[in-house]
Amino acid sequence: MEVTVLVGSQWGDEGKGKIVDILSNRFDIVARYQGGANAGHTVIIGDQQFILHLVPSGILRENVKCVIGNGVVIDPQALLDEIKFLESSGINTKGRLFISHNAHLIMPYHKLLDQINESGANKIGTTGRGIGPCYIDKYARKGIRIVDLLDRTVLKEKIKLNLEEKNNLLKKVYNHAELNVDDIINEYVEFDKQIDQYITDAPTLLNNAILEGKSVLIEGAQGTMLDVDHGTYPYVTSSNPTSGGACTGTGIPPTKISSVFGIVKAYTTRVGNGPFPTELFGDEGEELRKTGAEFGATTGRPRRCGWFDAFLLNYSRMINGIERTAITKLDVLGYLDEIKVCVGYEKNGKILKSYPTDISQLENITPVYETLKGWNQDISNVRSFNDLPSECKNYLSFISQSSGIEIKIISVGPKREQTIEL
Ligand code: GDP
Ligand code: IMO
Ligand code: MG
């Protein structure tokens, strides 16, 4: 019985999708625990590219069952589109995909309010998928859940109540046209007809499976620094991508978690606004973005790129309890003569002892770098650790030692076979 939580160690897009796909042939179940269709997890199999937003990346392994946990916020249209795409690609979801009855639904007004909020002065740079407003309603205890779809009277009542409030807000505060109650009710009733077969009591399913000796991989979305509690608040998402969220977001108790696996990109990227101490600007940033094809899998936005930050990873290791890691996109750094690694932050002449998540502090620090020799060659065809150039091995050992992490997987390209296991 192994229950492993897999987390993004930086600001998301570390390559979680690829590594979940690699690991999931050793697991019976893969479950998502937070976030929504703001996530974009890429898996490439042969010539085919799959970008998964809501369905766990384990769906691409036919013997694996997949669960969308209660902590996830579900956009019906995004989910139906994804199921349709998977089925049309020959991936069966029936009897393999299970959706928690307690997951919250993203409603049209959530997406609208997300977009309206982003048009104001306080831009987070969200994906515009309605994530924040949906979690707000969840914690305000006004949310509409998957279970509400099962009782039409309850569903209609809840949509009506919510719309009364939201229409008031749209009209009086934002001077926006009102939304039509019946349209929304009809849309969600139609949605229910299509997903009814997937709905289940997910905590019971998962806990029974664990009791039967089945193994579970719990797939995080986003990343540690986007965590609403532990990230660079307020430039974060509205959930807990850190490992602690895996229990509340699935109903699997902490006593059943065996280990935490971190996904670490060999450099750093961030999409959206907020502090990024090791960011590279100008030609340097552009070259890294181009070489790493760093454009968002969900929104297509260019990702901000910068040097690897060992101080940040150390913090991430602490918050998540990361024991083992996969280093991804190592091949991307092959064009550089020299590579910098941030080993600490300096402020007012002093080296900080602990990671400052308060943005006012983060905006006024100077990263302290060590410079390592680059390997200056293409490693995307290397398949064994011993065949990696010595400068590359040095880089790996430096980031492992300076961040206190153990590297178990090295990824040298987006494809399944471009993977070195240690
Ligand atoms: P996720 O959100 O953490 O699953 O990551 P994304 O899928 O958003 O972004 C990772 C991108 O890098 C995708 O386009 C992957 O196909 C690609 N990728 C993953 N691992 C590697 C790697 O080792 N090398 C290269 N060059 N690309 C990779
Ligand atoms: P995956 O799972 C990278 C970022 C957005 C924005 C902030 C808040 O693919 O790694 P939100 O729409 O969640 O309210 O936006 O979080 N963000 C991500 N960045 N990868 C993601 O997911 C992200 N999901 C959200 O860009 O800065
Ligand atoms: Mg992504």
Side-chain angles (χ1 to χ4, degrees):
M1 181 279 295
E2 187 186 337
V3 181
T4 295
V5 183
L6 180 143
V7 294
S9 308
Q10 294 142 323
W11 272 289
D13 302 327
E14 297 89 350
K16 296 178 290 294
K18 168 176 168 169
I19 304 300
V20 169
D21 174 61
I22 297 288
L23 294 176
S24 60
N25 66 349
R26 291 163 226 170
F27 286 84
D28 299 300
I29 299 175
V30 179
R32 271 275 304 268
Y33 61 93
Q34 45 66 238
N38 49 350
H41 296 180
T42 314
V43 182
I44 297 178
I45 302 171
D47 294 333
Q48 208 172 0
Q49 173 174 272
F50 296 86
I51 298 180
L52 296 152
H53 302 286
L54 282 161
V55 177
S57 307
I59 201 76
L60 304 172
R61 302 269 183 189
E62 61 181 347
N63 295 325
V64 172
K65 290 204 164 87
C66 287
V67 175
I68 300 180
N70 54 279
V72 176
V73 287
I74 299 178
D75 176 351
Q77 198 50 55
L79 180 62
L80 289 179
D81 289 349
E82 204 163 314
I83 291 175
K84 211 163 125 197
F85 168 66
L86 287 167
E87 294 279 343
S88 71
S89 309
I91 311 288
N92 176 36
T93 56
K94 306 203 168 63
R96 295 186 54 219
L97 176 65
F98 301 89
I99 302 171
S100 173
H101 56 350
N102 285 342
H104 280 245
L105 285 162
I106 296 216
M107 306 299 290
Y109 44 81
H110 292 140
K111 286 194 261 189
L112 190 56
L113 288 169
D114 193 359
Q115 281 146 24
I116 290 173
N117 287 338
E118 284 291 295
S119 64
N122 272 344
K123 284 191 186 59
I124 302 293
T126 73
T127 58
R129 300 296 190 267
I131 306 296
C134 184
Y135 279 114
I136 289 174
D137 277 355
K138 170 174 174 171
Y139 289 102
R141 293 158 294 178
K142 292 174 184 165
I144 301 177
R145 302 194 291 177
I146 291 283
V147 67
D148 298 322
L149 294 169
L150 305 176
D151 185 327
R152 296 285 189 267
T153 318
V154 172
L155 178 69
K156 287 178 187 172
E157 202 45 47
K158 287 199 172 178
I159 292 181
K160 272 188 191 149
L161 261 176
N162 269 284
L163 262 192
E164 251 171 53
E165 185 201 342
K166 299 301 188 289
N167 272 337
N168 234 333
L169 186 71
L170 286 172
K171 201 168 73 183
K172 293 190 180 146
V173 179
Y174 299 117
N175 200 14
H176 193 282
E178 293 187 15
L179 298 176
N180 184 286
V181 182
D182 293 327
D183 287 352
I184 297 180
I185 291 174
N186 292 337
E187 189 188 330
Y188 281 71
V189 166
E190 202 44 51
F191 167 59
D192 174 51
K193 288 184 194 151
Q194 298 185 58
I195 65 141
D196 196 58
Q197 58 184 315
Y198 298 105
I199 302 175
T200 197
D201 170 354
T204 302
L205 180 153
L206 288 166
N207 281 287
N208 282 345
I210 292 168
L211 281 179
E212 284 164 21
K214 299 255 181 349
S215 54
V216 184
L217 179 63
I218 315 183
E219 173 180 354
Q222 287 82 55
T224 304
M225 303 313 284
L226 289 170
D227 187 284
V228 70
D229 286 284
H230 302 292
T232 47
Y233 189 89
Y235 297 100
V236 292
T237 191
S238 299
S239 67
N240 288 117
T242 48
S243 56
C247 293
T248 49
T250 57
I252 297 174
T255 45
K256 294 285 194 275
I257 306 287
S258 349
S259 67
V260 180
F261 198 100
I263 311 301
V264 180
K265 199 181 275 191
Y267 48 97
T268 314
T269 62
R270 163 163 216 172
V271 204
N273 304 339
F276 179 176
T278 63
E279 183 166 12
L280 284 168
F281 299 94
D283 291 348
E284 273 188 302
E286 194 54 52
E287 191 157 20
L288 185 49
R289 178 162 40 253
K290 220 174 74 200
T291 316
E294 293 295 352
F295 295 89
T298 297
T299 58
R301 289 178 292 175
R303 295 174 182 149
R304 299 158 63 191
C305 297
W307 298 121
F308 184 80
D309 189 339
F311 189 43
L312 180 152
L313 188 59
N314 229 310
Y315 170 72
S316 180
R317 180 188 51 74
M318 174 186 84
I319 292 292
N320 292 295
I322 293 171
E323 290 149 329
R324 296 166 297 156
T325 60
I327 303 287
T328 62
K329 306 196 83 160
L330 191 61
D331 54 302
V332 172
L333 300 178
Y335 72 96
L336 291 158
D337 295 330
E338 285 187 336
I339 307 175
K340 285 188 182 173
V341 176
C342 169
V343 291
Y345 295 171
E346 189 192 299
K347 191 177 167 118
N348 302 330
K350 286 197 182 120
I351 300 291
L352 298 187
K353 288 201 171 71
S354 57
Y355 199 90
T357 49
D358 175 46
I359 55 159
S360 63
Q361 281 209 54
L362 259 180
E363 272 158 3
N364 291 308
I365 56 93
T366 311
V368 179
Y369 289 110
E370 296 242 352
T371 303
L372 279 76
K373 215 166 169 293
W375 45 97
N376 229 320
Q377 58 181 284
D378 179 13
I379 56 162
S380 61
N381 292 317
V382 175
R383 296 290 175 270
S384 100
F385 181 78
N386 288 337
D387 294 338
L388 286 171
S390 59
E391 295 86 353
C392 191
K393 286 184 191 151
N394 270 349
Y395 184 71
L396 290 171
S397 111
F398 188 87
I399 63 179
S400 157
Q401 278 168 22
S402 52
S403 339
I405 52 156
E406 186 191 356
I407 301 170
K408 295 301 278 184
I409 295 178
I410 300 163
S411 175
V412 293
K415 296 184 176 167
R416 268 182 179 170
E417 60 274 19
Q418 292 176 303
T419 309
I420 300 169
E421 297 207 34
L422 302 174

